[in-house]
């Protein structure tokens, strides 16, 4: 999975402190994008799901994980695998530019 950063957020999951994973790649190329560098699917570093889970476990204040970007659905297969594993241990949110009909 290609990511640009992994941080702690107090605003991206309602009423919960969460770990946020900024994933690289986006097909929308929105004018005024707040993370334009994340449109590039090669931006950032490659990490595996085990690394993400260990990072989450090292953040005792985090009670959820948020996938943002870019657009996490740009890396659909990796995102799906991560969500399956994270669903075993915590709550998940995904921020995407897709419509519910496309998902």
């Amino acid at each position: 999975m290609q990511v640009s950063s992994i941080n702690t957020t107090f605003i991206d999951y309602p009423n919960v402190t969460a770990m946020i994973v900024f994933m690289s790649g986006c097909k929308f190329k929105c004018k005024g994008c707040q993370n334009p560098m994340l449109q590039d699917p090669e931006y950032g570093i490659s990490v595996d799901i085990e690394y993400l889970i260990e990072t989450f476990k090292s953040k005792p204040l985090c009670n959820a994980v948020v996938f943002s970007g870019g657009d996490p659905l740009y890396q659909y297969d990796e995102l799906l695998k991560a969500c399956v594993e994270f669903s075993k241990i915590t709550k998940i949110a995904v921020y995407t530019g897709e419509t519910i009909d496309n998902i």
Side-chain angles (χ1 to χ4, degrees):
M1 175 181 296
Q2 197 73 13
V3 304
S4 72
S5 64
I6 301 168
N7 299 302
T8 300
T9 179
F10 304 100
I11 59 173
D12 294 292
Y13 196 108
N15 304 312
V16 172
T17 302
M19 181 178 86
I20 187 165
V21 179
F22 287 96
M23 297 177 65
S24 301
C26 183
K27 68 180 183 182
F28 294 107
K29 312 279 192 264
C30 299
K31 183 178 179 179
C33 175
Q34 71 178 27
N35 298 320
M37 67 289 223
L38 295 183
Q39 294 174 5
D40 178 359
E42 301 299 318
Y43 185 83
I45 61 169
S46 180
V47 299
D48 59 26
I49 295 167
E50 292 77 22
Y51 176 82
L52 293 178
I53 290 172
E54 290 305 313
T55 302
F56 177 79
K57 289 179 178 179
S58 75
K59 297 177 176 288
L61 297 178
C62 292
N63 296 308
V65 64
V66 176
F67 293 98
S68 190
D71 186 356
L73 291 179
Y74 190 89
Q75 298 183 60
Y76 177 81
D77 292 338
E78 291 298 316
L79 175 66
L80 182 59
K81 291 174 194 173
C83 287
V84 167
E85 293 306 313
F86 272 104
S87 71
K88 298 172 185 176
I89 60 173
T90 195
K91 303 173 209 169
I92 303 165
V94 176
Y95 283 94
T96 179
E98 290 286 359
T99 64
I100 194 69
D101 290 335
N102 287 339
I103 296 172

